[in-house]
Amino acid sequence: MPIPTLTPRSRNSAATWRSAKNMPGSERPRKSRPIWKRREFWVRRALPVAAGLFLIGVLGVVGLFAWYSRDLPDPNGIVDRSVAQSTKIYARDGETLLYEVHGEERRTVVELEKIPFNLQKATIAIEDKDFYKHGGIDFRGLFRAVFTNIINLDVTGQGGSTITQQFVKNAILTTEKSYVRKIKEAVLAYQIEKRFTKDQILKLYFNEIPYGRNAYGAEAAAQVYFGKSVSEVSLDEAALLAALPQAPSYYSPDGNHVDLLEGRQGRVLQNMADQGYITQEEADAAKEEDTVAKIIPRREVIKAPHFVIYVKELLTEKYGEKQIEQGGLRVITTLEPNLQQMAEDAVSNGMAKVERYGGSNAALVSLNPQTGQILAMVGSRDYFDAEHDGNVNVALRPRQPGSSFKPIVYAQAFREGYTPETILFDLITNFGGTPNYIPQNYNGRENGPVTMRKALAGSLNVPAVKTLYLVGVNDAVNLAKSLGYTTLNDPDRYGLSLTLGGGEVKLLEHTAAFGVFANEGVRQSTVAILRVEDRNGKILEETNEGEGERVLDQNVAREISSVLSDNGARAYIFGTQNSLILSGRPVAAKTGTTNDFRDAWTMGYTPNLVTGVWTGNNDNSEMSTGADGSVIAAPIWKSFMQAATAGAPVVNFTAPKPNDAEKPILQGRLSSGETLTVDTITGKEIPSECVDEWPEEFKKQKELEQVHTILYFVNKDNPRGPVPDNPASDPQFTRWEEPVRRWAEENDKLVDRPAKEDCDLRTIANTPKVTITSPASGSTITGNSVSVSATVDATRAITLTKFVIDGVEITEDTTAPFQASLDVSDLENGYHKLKVIAYDTVEQAGSQTIDVIIQHESSGTSIYFTAPVPGSRHAISDGAISISVVAQSAIGIDSVKVNITDANGVVTKLSTSSASGSRYSTQWTPLLAGDYTIQAIMTDDDGETTSTDNLSVSITAD
């Protein structure tokens, strides 16, 4: 049927259409549809319009891309741009990270290979599962996000960003939530995808994305949250890190949505399993981990904080704040991690006693005196203890050092010609001034005439003030400055109180000054930084060990070390058993306590390690009576030094050279103007030729004093010369003479010129000869006591016999036969020195020392030598030397080995065989002459080791 022709619409057009439509039949005609509802209309007219609109849309999108691209950065420059990186401060091993110095962003750039597979896939699984499929923009996700935001009337809602877009947002653009920024983000993401590989984009992402706590990048996040490198994170930790970037603040483990963080972590793991990156079993196992409990509490992740802040200040002073916070420097410091931990433990463990005496804080500094390098620094008990101002580094704060400053004054005296044998009167003296300065000793007692050795070792105050007067305050201050003190700039303010700690010093500088004594007069500048590298590994600075600067005569330094390491010289004040000695190792030490117990110090050193300890209150308030340096600071010092030197070779101090033989033992002014030496026992004058004939041992044990003089006074300008012709011209003459006169009268010392002593009175031939008859040398004592018998062959009658073990007097006997029963129950198993000393009527003494072995029954752990004898001498021609050890362990013994170390530190290792039961033995054939130390090490069945103290022997060539 032909289709009717459409004509212009008229009144009859509809009828005509109907009639044509209904021509075949007589049915009622149907009503026609509007033309815009007809398919033909859309085919012929609407489709071209739609195509045009689509083209306009495309052109619009292209136009928008072009418009927003005009001011975007060039993607090619992204890799090369300067990214702010944290400066990392390491310990001296270059591996122990102490701290990251950063500004607002904590960041560390790492290669993609350092990012573990699990973290890469966890991030992709939760953030962008089609990362390897799209070209930078996930249109489906983007439209879904836009639709959701429109429905919710929220332009800041869902993001729908790919990993590439997230990188663009965080690294190049801002995080502003707007459609304009979103378009820019899409444009740049598209450009980046065209220029970079997927792996390159991942690397950029993992080094830029924020994870919260100011951590930018995966490496910084791993360090902040778990205290480890990102390469070390486990599967569950990787999942938690991947859960954070979507909303770091909302999901923060420090906030109120930890449960949602754990839920998102679980979703990450499940996504990884669903997407085939891990098995379901692995996902379930990781979900069981309590990962949140592994997170480091939110406080500065910092080790050795006071030292680190000190280093940061040094770096900032040189490089500036911006370079330190953003330059990505790698800083290797001098800090020794093991020693730092020992120092922190010593301070922490010692605080209970400090607090008992009203103190609240302590600080410790330890240096290598030969290099000046800081090995440990504890600026306070706890850096994070706000209650006690823990962030204050007391090691850098000026505090009064008390008597610990005395060695500097005596060092100046020794420089000027005084010696450790110079005698001063320890008598309460009014030194004048306004008000009058009248110092007294710590215990309030007077000791009469004492040598400078005893005065310094016993920390007597009056002789120290006299010494400072003799050398002059200015000279003492000048020496202090050459030793490295920077705080002593007002000598007039200190006056004679300087020697008792009247001037403030810093613990770090004080420790370094004692290091000059340890280094025999050579000062090394204090060093905290070994090397600084820029972000590309270029070395900006590097510390080389220098020769240092000699600021003190070598022999003067040795004399100070000799005095401070002389435990016998201080025993009259501190006792023989005190906290200033180390087991089996020579050490020099000095304590200090300020007025009203505001500060308590202990300073001490071996030739290789110097350590200073301060205790007190940050606000300088008083502690309770008795808070002496030897009581509260010395235990901390000893605890650290004992741990720090354990297992290290024993190094002895070099003895000082003898003083000028022509120098009188004592100088004083007599009415005749003569100088005499007087024996304290006989009261007779000792002619110089008699002294020359004395046995050396007798010279060491005798204390001579000038008892006839009314005033002891030396020539300040010539200490080794004659007594000044007119000592009364000195303004201190009368002040010093008055107490000496009083002392002489009270002690019946004001006598006429004494008679001269016969030079034959004391000779080597007249020295008592002691023979220990029981026990035999080298014998083993198994009980809790030992019976000792000795015979004495002497020209004169024997008035006293002393029985001594390991330098400690146990008992004495006054009548022959000389016998004693000594309690040895408290002695440790192993070698001990038994000594018997006999004194005649003029106190000339003879002695014999033997080695004995104490062997108590023990069910615990112990190890000790039974051969060779400590200090014994052997010739190379003697051949093999037998070494015997007794080792016991309730757990069971796996092995006993012997290490033999020569003077150069070369170690010879020997295995032993079990002779019977707990006895182990081996043979050693020395090839070279020299001094050796022997140490035995027992390893039990649990792998724990126990070692003996070092045993010394000498090998001679003949």
Side-chain angles (χ1 to χ4, degrees), residues 323-344:
Q323 176 72 350
I324 300 308
E325 292 186 353
Q326 302 180 16
L329 302 182
R330 174 180 166 86
V331 182
I332 310 300
T333 70
T334 59
L335 196 80
E336 168 51 57
N338 292 334
L339 293 185
Q340 177 67 22
Q341 187 60 57
M342 293 174 186
E344 292 175 3

Side-chain angles (χ1 to χ4, degrees), residues 751-795:
V751 296
D752 293 331
R753 184 185 182 104
K756 291 188 177 182
E757 189 170 277
D758 183 356
C759 287
D760 293 333
L761 185 63
R762 300 182 181 90
T763 63
I764 295 177
N766 292 335
T767 301
K769 296 174 176 56
V770 178
T771 302
I772 299 176
T773 58
S774 176
S777 180
S779 59
T780 299
I781 299 169
T782 58
N784 290 327
S785 64
V786 56
S787 296
V788 182
S789 300
T791 60
V792 182
D793 182 12
T795 304

